[in-house]
Amino acid sequence: DGGITQSPKYLFRKEGQNVTLSCEQNLNHDAMYWYRQDPGQGLRLIYYSQIVNDFQKGDIAEGYSVSREKKESFPLTVTSAQKNPTAFYLCASSSGGRAYNQPQHFGDGTRLSIL
Amino acid sequence: RKEVEQDPGPFNVPEGATVAFNCTYSNSASQSFFWYRQDCRKEPKLLMSVYSSGNEDGRFTAQLNRASQYISLLIRDSKLSDSATYLCVVAMNSGYSTLTFGKGTMLLVSP
């Protein structure tokens, strides 16, 4: 089945540790996105990528890093500089062209907590 | 003013009722509009795109009012399974820019 796979489903981070969240899609989508959702809040964009080897900062990029070495994959690293990492992290993708009029499709998310 | 505003609810309705949500957006350059549904502790899922002429998908009807900068979602004959949070989503006409999500309106349908 085509879709977006995020792993792990749950992740715990120790103080000072970097952790990486995986996002893989087999939809042949060009654009991929990372969002963070806090309880009672809307989704906030962390990073997005329009094409392989290119990515742009979103609204809350500080403390995060990404790479886009393959079309299918867009991993997110939560660094130790992100002091409040506890949240629900969602990866999404959309097809190419004028992406603003293309809906985004989401993976089932990773819940990150601090130990 | 927030970019996309929604009444957080919850809207409590009995099965079979008709319920409507509105969403207002602040940027008049917004070009694309969507409604997503998000179940508790799950990912958002696309419910429907919203077209200028309005569109209907079964029990769901979406309308766009560009002059007043709001979109609406009407749900007829509510089912228990419609209980969820409904997210209003807006995109600007700026290439690969981003979607702006509202915080959502919670709907609770009771027997």
Side-chain angles (χ1 to χ4, degrees):
Chain A
D1 283 359
I4 303 173
T5 302
Q6 288 187 242
S7 63
K9 209 170 184 63
Y10 299 94
L11 186 58
F12 296 93
R13 196 192 87 170
K14 293 180 183 177
E15 200 75 37
Q17 186 183 39
N18 292 355
V19 292
T20 298
L21 284 58
S22 169
C23 178
E24 305 276 331
Q25 55 99 358
N26 60 5
L27 299 168
N28 200 33
H29 283 170
D30 286 316
M32 296 186 75
Y33 310 81
W34 273 105
Y35 293 90
R36 167 183 174 139
Q37 188 176 35
D38 294 279
Q41 300 297 315
L43 277 68
R44 292 185 292 167
L45 183 67
I46 304 172
Y47 267 99
Y48 65 103
S49 169
Q50 304 172 16
I51 200 167
V52 174
N53 292 321
D54 182 65
F55 49 83
Q56 307 294 328
K57 291 182 179 180
D59 301 318
I60 54 164
E62 187 173 344
Y64 300 97
S65 65
V66 293
S67 62
R68 186 86 186 275
E69 296 176 3
K70 298 187 299 182
K71 187 176 186 177
E72 304 80 27
S73 178
F74 191 40
L76 173 74
T77 296
V78 184
T79 74
S80 57
Q82 173 47 248
K83 298 305 180 189
N84 183 23
T86 297
F88 186 37
Y89 289 86
L90 289 157
C91 178
S93 70
S94 64
S95 58
R98 287 193 177 273
Y100 66 82
N101 64 3
Q102 300 296 322
Q104 294 177 13
H105 301 274
F106 288 84
D108 57 7
T110 293
R111 293 197 178 275
L112 176 62
S113 301
I114 298 179
L115 276 178
Chain B
R1 183 180 173 186
K2 294 177 186 172
E3 293 188 55
V4 179
E5 288 203 63
Q6 297 183 251
D7 181 342
F11 284 56
N12 289 284
V13 302
E15 268 187 294
T18 296
V19 62
F21 311 133
N22 281 343
C23 161
T24 59
Y25 60 94
S26 60
N27 194 322
S28 58
S30 300
Q31 288 292 324
S32 301
F33 309 88
F34 310 95
W35 282 103
Y36 279 73
R37 170 199 169 119
Q38 186 172 25
D39 291 290
C40 187
R41 299 178 67 81
K42 299 285 190 182
E43 76 276 20
K45 293 184 178 177
L46 179 68
L47 181 65
M48 59 198 304
S49 301
V50 186
Y51 303 122
S52 296
S53 55
N55 48 302
E56 188 174 309
D57 182 1
R59 298 182 293 109
F60 299 84
T61 300
Q63 297 279 351
L64 168 64
N65 185 317
R66 285 190 186 273
S68 300
Q69 294 182 205
Y70 77 83
I71 66 174
S72 63
L73 178 68
L74 180 79
I75 305 175
R76 289 181 298 278
D77 189 23
S78 299
K79 311 291 185 191
L80 295 176
S81 57
D82 293 335
S83 296
T85 296
Y86 291 83
L87 307 178
C88 172
V89 184
V90 174
M92 290 204 315
N93 178 14
S94 55
Y96 281 91
S97 189
T98 58
L99 302 183
T100 301
F101 288 77
K103 294 182 180 180
T105 298
M106 184 182 290
L107 171 65
L108 299 172
V109 182
S110 54

